[in-house]
Amino acid sequence: MISTKARLGKDIVTKEGVIIEDDVIIGDSCYLDYGCIIRKGVKLGENSYVGPNCILGEFQMDFHNDRDSEYNPKSLTIGNNALIRSHTVIYSGSAIGRNFQTGHHVTVRENVEAGQNLRVGTLSDIQGTCKIGDYVNFHSNVHIAMYSKIGNYVWIFPFFMSTNDPIPPSEIISGCTIDDYAVIATKATLLPGIKIGEGAFIGAGSVVTKDIPSNMLAVGNPAKIKDHVSSLKHPETLEPAYPWKLRFDRGMPWEFDME
Amino acid sequence: MISTKARLGKDIVTKEGVIIEDDVIIGDSCYLDYGCIIRKGVKLGENSYVGPNCILGEFQMDFHNDRDSEYNPKSLTIGNNALIRSHTVIYSGSAIGRNFQTGHHVTVRENVEAGQNLRVGTLSDIQGTCKIGDYVNFHSNVHIAMYSKIGNYVWIFPFFMSTNDPIPPSEIISGCTIDDYAVIATKATLLPGIKIGEGAFIGAGSVVTKDIPSNMLAVGNPAKIKDHVSSLKHPETLEPAYPWKLRFDRGMPWEFDME
Amino acid sequence: MISTKARLGKDIVTKEGVIIEDDVIIGDSCYLDYGCIIRKGVKLGENSYVGPNCILGEFQMDFHNDRDSEYNPKSLTIGNNALIRSHTVIYSGSAIGRNFQTGHHVTVRENVEAGQNLRVGTLSDIQGTCKIGDYVNFHSNVHIAMYSKIGNYVWIFPFFMSTNDPIPPSEIISGCTIDDYAVIATKATLLPGIKIGEGAFIGAGSVVTKDIPSNMLAVGNPAKIKDHVSSLKHPETLEPAYPWKLRFDRGMPWEFDME
């Protein structure tokens, strides 16, 4: 079902079972795969791909609280060249920049403001009301709590969890902050209100209970500061492996500049 | 496809692609969203919402063992006012009380007996054959092993795991028990047969290897008892933060009674 | 939509909304449930079940890089008697033996070579480019990184994570190896390049930073070798519980041989 009140660009592929509701705007050259659902008011940039059984513009709680009222969606805006893989759900009320990519079975809730080149891996769960910079990489199964603030060029690996409630359950919200270029290895946890400094490295399985300063390496449960990140060596060259931006450029804006 | 042998109440919305099989009973004012599947024999209470691509009454193993025999489903019963979000799968053979809510991509298997006001977050996985009380809250990505027993007013946070096999793989089953008002912070694990006492608090990342008495705080891997839960203070008032029932009422039966 | 260029065997059930693309080959007596999608070139063995909203033969990155070119799929081959539960996504370019089973919301990416009787639990994520032996059991939410090598009769429990990059992000890939009969309890993590020896047992929540020899028990973060696996006793008989193959046979090739 494609609404006659939707505005579709040129050269759009719509496979069997696609749903496009009223007031949707879709840019040129998009590919909408089997059975994806684009709810009322979504704006999707050109050359984007939406996988099977995805939902864009998912209902927020106000719809469920009163399904009989006229549904007045907050817009969801996604920039050009998005690649949204199957079974992903993105709520209304968020704005995501260009070159957005997701894996499968991802959830992104409302009030997320994200920059360009965000990548969100399979089974990740962005709980909403958070701010994410440019060129951020969430690997699979990354869980971002509400009220998190994430800078640019941040890498977060699987089974990460940020939290926000110091005495659950409560009405206190104390979001975490992760600054530019930080790297958080697999299965790390941030307790409520923690701040990870620019370029810091958090080791696998760490539970971070205190703020970690810029460019420091922290490991353990509770995480302890071990050294400067430059103490981590490249296993072959034995040169300092961090800051990583001096040695890695795939998909980064400085790609092809390095020698 | 809506079976003529299904019994639908009044004022039901069925969006494109909905499947309703034989002998399904659906209460008044339900909203069945795009492509949800309600298998044979399911009973869904009035004023419920079922999201896109959900499956209610999912096949148990007996169907797969003999697909050619007449399929004789155990009933799935879900009470009034359910809110079941997209891509959720709930097996036949369970019974869930009123005001049930799920996030997205949830799985609930067979032989689950759950009370009213159960909330199960995105990506949670209830493995079946367990008993869950009233007003229980599972946040995202909570994994409940078979043969778990969970009381009333329990809170469990993401990446929780209860286990049941002391020498895996084996045929021994030793389920965990979590008593009323207990709070289990993110990424905790319970070893097989563990009992968490009423009102206990388990810290983030803990691996619980011994029973925890009522109203005690336990933290670490292996988890050690640290103090009474009242030692955890509200960060602003500095009053004891637990028992939480004395200071928190959102969504609880005593909501609006507090002053 | 069932392509006229697909080759379907006898006695195949295709429920509403099934998509079968060109050059698909499906064996006799398969059951294709509501809305499953079988992309170009997939070969599925006889007597298999594919659940609602599954995708077999999912696109690899080359398709997304150039959607306008003729899509030239690598084949996905799945053996006889597969049981693939709902919302599972399996990429093109993999080959999986007979008696394959998945839970719900599973992802298996490209270049996976797996033997017979592989079971992959709900929400598991096999990241591709890995080799998996016969009779391997992944419980729910198991995450296998690229370049992992897994032997035969291996058991891995929920929230497992294998890794492969020693200085993330980098272009170095150092996959993990898990040998025959190893058992890895819930929430264990393997650091890049780790080798788990035959019949070893890794305790719940362990972070393994060094290779573990055959038949050894290792526990903790970082994991330390504690003893021979035979030190783990059966809780009732008090006999050594490992090697498990001497006391457990359900679903194993030696089932019905034991007395």
Side-chain angles (χ1 to χ4, degrees):
Chain A
M1 187 276 294
I2 300 181
S3 164
T4 56
K5 294 187 190 164
R7 255 168 51 203
L8 275 67
K10 290 175 299 176
D11 301 321
I12 290 180
V13 176
T14 55
K15 305 292 280 190
E16 187 175 318
V18 166
I19 305 285
I20 301 178
E21 294 186 347
D22 295 353
D23 307 327
V24 164
I25 302 176
I26 300 197
D28 296 344
S29 305
C30 284
Y31 189 113
L32 308 177
D33 215 334
Y34 300 110
C36 71
I37 298 167
I38 306 189
R39 294 198 194 273
K40 206 173 163 182
V42 169
K43 294 182 191 64
L44 179 66
E46 62 184 41
N47 196 37
S48 293
Y49 170 86
V50 183
N53 302 319
C54 286
I55 305 171
L56 302 188
E58 180 59 320
F59 295 136
Q60 295 185 45
M61 200 65 204
D62 55 351
F63 170 80
H64 297 297
N65 288 337
D66 184 7
R67 292 195 303 255
D68 297 327
S69 73
E70 173 60 17
Y71 179 56
N72 178 22
K74 294 84 187 163
S75 72
L76 165 67
T77 306
I78 297 177
N80 296 342
N81 304 312
L83 166 42
I84 299 171
R85 289 189 178 85
S86 76
H87 307 95
T88 285
V89 180
I90 306 180
Y91 277 52
S92 71
S94 286
I96 302 175
R98 64 180 187 273
N99 303 326
F100 174 49
Q101 282 195 26
T102 79
H104 306 273
H105 307 110
V106 166
T107 315
V108 179
R109 286 185 44 191
E110 66 272 20
N111 304 324
V112 172
E113 200 182 315
Q116 61 169 283
N117 290 70
L118 171 61
R119 298 198 303 181
V120 180
T122 290
L123 296 169
S124 287
D125 181 15
I126 314 299
Q127 294 258 308
T129 309
C130 57
K131 212 165 170 332
I132 301 172
D134 294 331
Y135 290 90
V136 168
N137 284 270
F138 299 141
H139 206 278
S140 302
N141 237 314
V142 164
H143 180 113
I144 304 290
M146 292 175 75
Y147 297 89
S148 297
K149 281 187 204 149
I150 296 172
N152 305 300
Y153 310 107
V154 167
W155 294 81
I156 301 184
F157 291 90
F159 298 111
F160 170 80
M161 171 85 202
S162 67
T163 61
N164 62 26
D165 183 351
I167 51 166
S170 84
E171 304 291 0
I172 305 175
I173 291 169
S174 181
C176 294
T177 303
I178 302 174
D179 282 347
D180 297 356
Y181 301 105
V183 176
I184 301 189
T186 187
K187 286 191 184 163
T189 304
L190 305 189
L191 291 197
I194 288 297
K195 188 174 169 192
I196 304 296
E198 185 172 326
F201 185 105
I202 308 300
S206 298
V207 178
V208 185
T209 61
K210 291 184 180 166
D211 292 351
I212 305 299
S214 296
N215 296 311
M216 286 294 158
L217 164 66
V219 182
N221 174 7
K224 293 198 171 124
I225 296 170
K226 294 288 183 185
D227 207 334
H228 191 270
V229 291
S230 62
S231 65
L232 291 167
K233 303 302 185 195
H234 189 291
E236 287 152 16
T237 66
L238 306 180
E239 297 285 314
Y242 297 86
W244 61 266
K245 64 183 169 183
L246 302 179
R247 61 166 176 81
F248 183 87
D249 63 358
R250 181 159 43 88
M252 296 292 138
W254 56 90
E255 191 173 6
F256 312 118
D257 292 351
M258 282 190 164
E259 199 48 43
Chain B
M1 186 278 292
I2 299 181
S3 165
T4 55
K5 295 187 191 164
R7 255 167 51 203
L8 274 66
K10 291 176 297 177
D11 301 321
I12 289 180
V13 177
T14 55
K15 306 291 281 190
E16 186 174 319
V18 167
I19 304 285
I20 301 179
E21 294 187 345
D22 295 352
D23 307 328
V24 164
I25 301 175
I26 300 198
D28 295 345
S29 303
C30 284
Y31 189 113
L32 307 177
D33 214 335
Y34 300 111
C36 70
I37 297 166
I38 306 190
R39 294 198 193 272
K40 205 173 165 183
V42 169
K43 294 182 193 62
L44 179 65
E46 61 184 42
N47 196 36
S48 294
Y49 170 86
V50 182
N53 303 319
C54 287
I55 305 172
L56 301 189
E58 180 60 320
F59 294 136
Q60 295 186 43
M61 199 65 204
D62 55 350
F63 170 80
H64 296 297
N65 287 338
D66 184 6
R67 294 195 302 257
D68 297 327
S69 72
E70 173 60 17
Y71 178 56
N72 178 23
K74 294 84 188 163
S75 71
L76 166 66
T77 306
I78 297 178
N80 295 343
N81 304 312
L83 166 41
I84 299 171
R85 289 189 178 84
S86 76
H87 308 95
T88 286
V89 179
I90 305 181
Y91 277 53
S92 71
S94 286
I96 301 175
R98 63 180 188 272
N99 302 326
F100 175 49
Q101 282 196 26
T102 79
H104 306 273
H105 308 110
V106 167
T107 315
V108 178
R109 286 184 47 189
E110 67 272 21
N111 304 324
V112 172
E113 200 182 316
Q116 61 168 283
N117 290 69
L118 172 61
R119 299 198 302 182
V120 180
T122 290
L123 296 169
S124 287
D125 180 15
I126 313 298
Q127 294 259 307
T129 310
C130 57
K131 212 164 167 342
I132 301 172
D134 294 331
Y135 290 89
V136 167
N137 284 271
F138 299 141
H139 207 278
S140 301
N141 236 316
V142 163
H143 180 114
I144 304 290
M146 292 175 77
Y147 297 90
S148 298
K149 281 186 205 149
I150 296 172
N152 305 300
Y153 311 107
V154 167
W155 293 82
I156 302 183
F157 289 90
F159 297 111
F160 170 79
M161 171 86 202
S162 68
T163 61
N164 61 26
D165 183 351
I167 51 167
S170 85
E171 304 291 359
I172 305 175
I173 292 169
S174 181
C176 293
T177 303
I178 302 174
D179 284 346
D180 296 357
Y181 301 104
V183 176
I184 302 189
T186 188
K187 286 190 184 162
T189 303
L190 305 190
L191 291 198
I194 289 298
K195 187 175 168 192
I196 304 296
E198 185 172 325
F201 185 104
I202 309 300
S206 298
V207 178
V208 184
T209 62
K210 290 183 181 166
D211 292 351
I212 305 300
S214 294
N215 296 311
M216 286 293 156
L217 164 67
V219 183
N221 175 6
K224 294 200 170 120
I225 296 170
K226 294 287 182 187
D227 207 334
H228 191 270
V229 292
S230 61
S231 65
L232 292 167
K233 303 302 186 196
H234 189 292
E236 287 151 18
T237 66
L238 305 181
E239 298 285 314
Y242 298 86
W244 61 266
K245 62 184 168 182
L246 301 179
R247 60 167 174 80
F248 183 87
D249 64 357
R250 180 160 44 89
M252 296 292 138
W254 57 89
E255 192 172 5
F256 312 119
D257 293 352
M258 283 189 165
E259 200 46 44
Chain C
M1 185 277 294
I2 299 181
S3 165
T4 56
K5 294 186 189 164
R7 254 167 53 203
L8 275 67
K10 291 175 297 177
D11 300 321
I12 290 180
V13 176
T14 55
K15 306 292 280 190
E16 187 175 318
V18 166
I19 304 285
I20 301 178
E21 293 186 347
D22 296 352
D23 307 328
V24 165
I25 301 175
I26 300 199
D28 296 344
S29 303
C30 284
Y31 189 114
L32 307 177
D33 214 336
Y34 300 110
C36 71
I37 297 167
I38 306 189
R39 293 199 194 272
K40 205 173 164 182
V42 170
K43 294 181 192 64
L44 179 65
E46 61 184 41
N47 196 37
S48 293
Y49 170 86
V50 183
N53 303 319
C54 286
I55 305 172
L56 302 189
E58 178 60 320
F59 294 137
Q60 295 186 44
M61 199 64 204
D62 55 351
F63 170 80
H64 296 296
N65 287 337
D66 184 5
R67 293 196 302 256
D68 297 328
S69 73
E70 173 61 17
Y71 178 56
N72 178 23
K74 294 85 186 164
S75 72
L76 164 66
T77 306
I78 296 177
N80 295 343
N81 303 313
L83 166 42
I84 299 170
R85 289 190 178 82
S86 76
H87 308 94
T88 286
V89 180
I90 306 181
Y91 276 53
S92 72
S94 285
I96 301 176
R98 64 178 187 271
N99 302 326
F100 175 49
Q101 282 195 27
T102 78
H104 306 274
H105 308 110
V106 166
T107 315
V108 178
R109 286 185 45 188
E110 67 272 21
N111 304 325
V112 172
E113 199 181 316
Q116 60 169 285
N117 289 69
L118 172 61
R119 298 199 300 182
V120 181
T122 290
L123 296 169
S124 287
D125 180 15
I126 314 297
Q127 293 258 307
T129 310
C130 58
K131 212 165 170 336
I132 300 172
D134 295 331
Y135 290 89
V136 167
N137 284 271
F138 299 141
H139 206 279
S140 301
N141 237 315
V142 163
H143 180 114
I144 304 290
M146 291 174 77
Y147 297 92
S148 297
K149 280 186 204 149
I150 295 172
N152 305 300
Y153 310 106
V154 167
W155 293 82
I156 302 184
F157 290 91
F159 298 111
F160 171 79
M161 172 83 201
S162 67
T163 61
N164 62 27
D165 183 351
I167 51 167
S170 84
E171 305 290 1
I172 305 175
I173 292 169
S174 182
C176 294
T177 303
I178 302 174
D179 283 346
D180 297 357
Y181 301 103
V183 176
I184 302 188
T186 188
K187 287 192 184 162
T189 304
L190 305 190
L191 292 198
I194 288 297
K195 188 176 168 190
I196 304 297
E198 186 173 326
F201 185 104
I202 309 301
S206 297
V207 178
V208 184
T209 62
K210 290 182 179 166
D211 292 351
I212 305 300
S214 295
N215 296 311
M216 286 294 158
L217 164 67
V219 183
N221 175 5
K224 293 200 171 122
I225 295 170
K226 294 287 182 187
D227 206 335
H228 191 271
V229 292
S230 61
S231 64
L232 292 167
K233 303 303 186 195
H234 189 293
E236 289 151 16
T237 66
L238 306 180
E239 298 285 313
Y242 298 86
W244 61 267
K245 64 183 168 183
L246 301 178
R247 61 167 174 82
F248 183 88
D249 63 357
R250 181 160 42 91
M252 295 293 139
W254 57 89
E255 191 172 5
F256 312 118
D257 293 352
M258 283 190 165
E259 197 44 43

